[in-house]
Amino acid sequence: MNLIDWPYSTPGIPDNCFSRSRVPMTKEEIRVLTLAKARLGPGMTVYDIGSGTGSVAVEAARLVAPAEVLAVDGNPEACALVRENARRFGLKNVRVITGMAPAALKGLPPPDRVFIGGSGGHLEDILADCHQVLRPGGIIVVNAITVETLGTVLSWGRSRGYQVEALAVNLARLEMVGRYHIWRPLNPVYIVQLTIQLGHEE
């Protein structure tokens, strides 16, 4: 199938449709839940921070077009993969920013939605900077793999008046091993949704 003509509007592009390397990628099933928690719509500006291979950026770009997804990553290899995957799907609304957040966020247009998949150890600074520019009614979605990161996001969001929701996601895929089927677990992920409260002021 020509990926430029990918015919489905629902999220969940198979992992094998993306160019990959050792750069981290948000897996298909986790990506679906992550995108759902962001509540995307046409015309929304999106940050994808710690974009990795760009699987979230690609899916988000298809949902918010003609608005932009700003894919931010400090790894040049990851940035090259984001560009390649956007090209594979014929997307013109993915802008790649090579640099570490939060510094790389300076001067970008204010977002309606923010995905944070990787923070390079600067999570609280990234959250604080995004908080300053997030548009009214905005949503931040953070994917975490450690309990410590989960605790940081929950505490930060509650202390600033966000509506906070979280999922602990444990999934497994059915795979063939020889003549038998087994369940192959995916890495557990915490998905946190922070929704800005309209009318809330610090």
Side-chain angles (χ1 to χ4, degrees), residues 16-92:
N16 61 13
C17 291
F18 294 96
S19 293
R20 300 178 60 183
S21 68
R22 292 186 179 182
V23 172
M25 183 175 80
T26 303
K27 300 298 191 297
E28 174 186 345
E29 296 82 0
I30 302 299
R31 196 184 323 126
V32 169
L33 291 170
T34 299
L35 291 159
K37 286 299 179 182
R39 306 193 189 285
L40 298 172
M44 292 182 177
T45 298
V46 177
Y47 291 178
D48 181 22
I49 299 170
S51 193
T53 60
S55 63
V56 170
V58 163
E59 296 236 38
R62 299 179 74 248
L63 295 170
V64 303
E68 274 192 318
V69 174
L70 304 158
V72 181
D73 205 293
N75 181 349
E77 182 182 2
C79 292
L81 281 170
V82 177
R83 292 187 184 94
E84 168 61 17
N85 283 315
R87 185 196 64 78
R88 286 166 68 93
F89 285 88
L91 297 169
K92 306 296 186 183

Side-chain angles (χ1 to χ4, degrees), residues 171-192:
L171 295 171
R173 290 175 175 170
L174 192 65
E175 294 186 3
M176 285 287 294
V177 176
R179 296 184 296 115
Y180 301 97
H181 290 84
I182 66 167
W183 290 104
R184 185 84 68 186
L186 302 178
N187 291 331
V189 177
Y190 305 107
I191 302 175
V192 185

Side-chain angles (χ1 to χ4, degrees), residues 10-11 43 52 54 56 66-67 86 100 102 106 109 113 115 126 147 165-166 170 175 177 186-187 192-194:
T10 52
V56 170
M100 294 295 296
K106 303 299 182 185
R113 301 291 187 263
F115 294 108
I126 292 169
V147 174
E165 296 184 11
N170 291 273
E175 294 186 3
V177 176
L186 302 178
N187 291 331
V192 185
Q193 179 196 61
L194 306 176

Side-chain angles (χ1 to χ4, degrees), residues 9 22 51 69 93 107 114 116 120 127 145 155 175-176 193 202:
S9 58
R22 292 186 179 182
S51 193
V69 174
N93 62 326
V114 176
I116 304 176
L127 287 167
I145 60 173
S155 176
E175 294 186 3
M176 285 287 294
Q193 179 196 61
E202 280 191 86

